[in-house]
Amino acid sequence: LTEVEVAEAFDISELANTVYAHNFKHSPSVKSITGLTVKTIDSLAADTWLMSPPCQPYTSQGKQNDDEDPRAQPLLHLCKVLKEASQ
C-alpha cells in the first residue's frame, strides 16, 4: 500500500467540511474550486488531483447541458488552470 499525502481538500459545503475534519483531523479549504489560480495550483505541488464533480450535467437523469450547466464550472476551471500550471 502506497502512502499518500493530501496537499489540500476543497469544499464549499459546511456539512461536508465538518465530516471531513472529523474523519481526517484537517479542515478543508472553503475556497471554491472556481477561485483557484495557477499560483495556488503551483504552490500545492500536487502530483494528482482527485475530484468528484456533479454528474447531472452529463447524465440522462440530469438536463444534459454538459459544460453549459453551472455545476460543471468547477471541473472545467480546474482543467483550465491545470493546463496552465508549471507542473
Side-chain angles (χ1 to χ4, degrees):
L1 189 58
T2 303
E3 189 170 322
V4 175
E5 179 184 341
V6 175
E8 187 56 272
F10 298 90
D11 205 307
I12 58 172
S13 167
E14 187 176 320
L15 179 58
N17 288 338
T18 300
V19 172
Y20 187 95
H22 174 78
N23 289 336
F24 299 104
K25 312 303 182 236
H26 170 78
S27 295
S29 172
V30 293
K31 185 178 214 174
S32 171
I33 289 172
T34 57
L36 293 179
T37 64
V38 172
K39 183 178 178 179
T40 304
I41 297 290
D42 284 340
S43 73
L44 293 170
D47 295 324
T48 305
W49 284 78
L50 303 176
M51 185 176 175
S52 179
C55 62
Q56 294 92 335
Y58 313 104
T59 64
S60 59
Q61 295 296 317
K63 294 183 179 179
Q64 299 178 345
N65 288 336
D66 199 50
D67 62 353
E68 297 299 317
D69 190 312
R71 294 171 290 193
Q73 294 313 302
L75 173 61
L76 298 173
H77 178 75
L78 186 59
C79 290
K80 178 181 178 260
V81 294
L82 285 172
K83 277 197 248 179
E84 297 171 8
S86 63
Q87 291 189 349

